[in-house]
Amino acid sequence: MILQLGEVVSAPVLGALQAVMAKLEMFEDGAKTAGWRARERKNNLQAGRTSLASGAVKKVEKALLANTLFQSAARPKEIVRTLLSRYEVGMHYGAHVDDAVMAGRRTDLSFTLFLADPESYDGGALVIDRTEGERAFKLPAGHLLLYPSTTLHRVEPVTRGSRLAAVGWVRSLIRDDAQRELLFDLDRAAVLLRSEAGRDAAIDLVLKTRSNLIRRWVDD
């Protein structure tokens, strides 16, 4: 399941994150955090480990864990890692699959939180390879793309401006992507039923099914 989430951070938080990205002076070669194959194809910059960058990362993670749709789609056990990335003109990231294990923890889902206004830069689309074909994404600032870490994906070369984003990886309580999607659909069904009068029995059945599937599938 590939899911676009709109405005996962509030306008004040987005503004604060953009201000931090403008102030950060310590950026390093992004290839340092990639596996050997991805390292050959990765050409970007990532914020170094400073208190300013760490504070921004905490803001991102706090906003995601408070977002109802993110919780429903990801079923996060933990956010394994979050990085602040910058692509300048000519930078790109070739086709790769994210590391299955980071710091000893499994990665099930990847996310990209776009921090730059899409009109402020050219190129830089995130392209995900699926069985039905490739899909390109270039979302508004403050919007997030959530997708399985198992996919081949790439970032196209930036030809103007700067592409800014927070990227991260999630270990989910539900390891299987298809199972997570079923649970997400049940959550949405319960919300729709709740908006209609006289559907209490149906809501109870949906929630019972969802809870028992979680009990069967959860990897705690």
Side-chain angles (χ1 to χ4, degrees):
M1 177 173 63
I2 299 175
L3 186 65
Q4 299 181 51
L5 302 178
E7 299 178 349
V8 297
V9 293
S10 65
V13 171
L14 175 60
L17 291 171
Q18 291 171 333
V20 166
M21 293 294 282
K23 290 178 183 177
L24 283 174
E25 296 179 355
M26 184 179 173
F27 278 88
E28 54 192 28
D29 185 353
K32 291 182 178 180
T33 58
W36 69 268
R37 178 60 170 169
R39 192 178 302 123
E40 298 172 349
R41 303 182 172 196
K42 189 175 185 180
N43 177 19
N44 73 351
L45 298 171
Q46 289 169 180
R49 295 183 178 181
T50 65
S51 58
L52 194 60
S54 297
V57 164
K58 288 178 181 178
K59 287 180 184 294
V60 170
E61 294 180 349
K62 181 179 179 180
L64 293 185
L65 294 176
N67 185 280
T68 302
L69 278 178
F70 181 85
Q71 284 283 345
S72 178
R75 308 275 169 184
K77 182 170 185 176
E78 62 178 324
I79 296 178
V80 175
R81 178 184 294 169
T82 303
L83 300 171
L84 302 177
S85 73
R86 176 190 292 271
Y87 290 75
E88 301 293 353
V89 172
M91 293 184 174
H92 65 284
Y93 198 162
H96 65 284
V97 64
D98 291 334
D99 286 347
V101 178
M102 296 182 182
R105 293 169 289 175
R106 190 185 70 246
T107 58
D108 300 309
L109 291 158
S110 303
F111 64 81
T112 297
L113 173 63
F114 291 79
L115 296 176
D117 184 11
E119 284 76 36
S120 69
Y121 65 100
D122 293 331
L126 173 60
V127 181
I128 299 178
D129 186 16
R130 303 287 283 175
T131 53
E132 66 271 18
E134 291 186 338
R135 294 180 63 186
F137 301 89
K138 188 175 177 180
L139 304 186
H143 290 224
L144 178 138
L145 191 73
L146 182 68
Y147 53 98
S149 299
T150 54
T151 59
L152 274 173
H153 52 281
R154 69 179 191 273
V155 176
E156 294 185 327
V158 172
T159 58
R160 178 184 65 88
S162 299
R163 179 189 190 270
L164 308 176
V167 297
W169 298 269
V170 177
R171 181 181 176 186
S172 178
L173 289 166
I174 307 298
R175 183 183 298 211
D176 184 81
D177 183 56
Q179 292 173 350
R180 283 195 304 272
E181 185 170 0
L182 285 172
L183 294 171
F184 182 64
D185 287 344
L186 287 172
D187 280 348
R188 290 193 296 167
V191 170
L192 291 172
L193 287 169
R194 188 179 179 183
S195 66
E196 300 181 21
R199 295 296 184 95
D200 287 349
I203 293 173
D204 288 342
L205 284 174
V206 168
L207 295 180
K208 172 190 173 185
T209 300
R210 184 198 63 178
S211 294
N212 287 334
L213 287 175
I214 292 173
R215 188 172 289 110
R216 178 182 291 267
W217 293 336
V218 73
D219 177 17
D220 60 356

